Amino acid sequence: MVDHARARKLAKRISQIVAEALEHEVKDPRLSMVTITDTRVTGDLREATVYYTVLGASLDEAPDTAGAAAALEGATGVLRSRVGQQTGVRHTPSLAFILDQVPDEARRMEELLARTRASDAEVARLAASASPAGDPDPYRAPRDAESE
């Protein structure tokens, strides 16, 4: 039987342990701009997927995602042993690191929303100065009794 609450607690604890280990124990400079965003653990507590993002050194510089992925792959054993020591579970889950796509998707959605707002503003500007095609009152007026 799967205990989802226990899996969530373990995932949260693994996130904390891995983030702390990356900050204080792993000395690879490629991991200095890595942030752990989320962790998911399977129901049997055997596998953990750790999601991370990589920031650039400055706003203009692109992040080194390939270097960070290689550094995390090399540090997986150290991180897994640290997780095993600090969690106290019978079987230490294997760790898989996946680059989190949420920030990129959020940025893309913001760009789409900005483009949509600009398009809506253009349509509103054109509609404000538009005049009806044809008669100003296209509906028939009711017949007067006097005109018949």
Side-chain angles (χ1 to χ4, degrees), residues 21-67:
L22 288 178
E23 185 177 355
H24 299 293
E25 296 172 20
V26 180
K27 302 297 181 196
D28 196 333
R30 298 176 291 181
L31 297 175
S32 64
M33 300 302 280
V34 171
T35 303
I36 303 300
T37 56
D38 193 19
T39 301
R40 304 276 168 93
V41 177
T42 58
D44 61 356
L45 308 179
R46 298 275 182 170
E47 298 172 7
T49 305
V50 180
Y51 295 92
Y52 67 95
T53 59
V54 182
L55 301 175
S58 66
L59 291 176
D60 299 330
E61 189 176 326
D64 182 20
T65 56

Side-chain angles (χ1 to χ4, degrees), residues 17 26 62 99 129 144:
I17 293 168
V26 180
L99 183 64
S129 63
D144 293 334

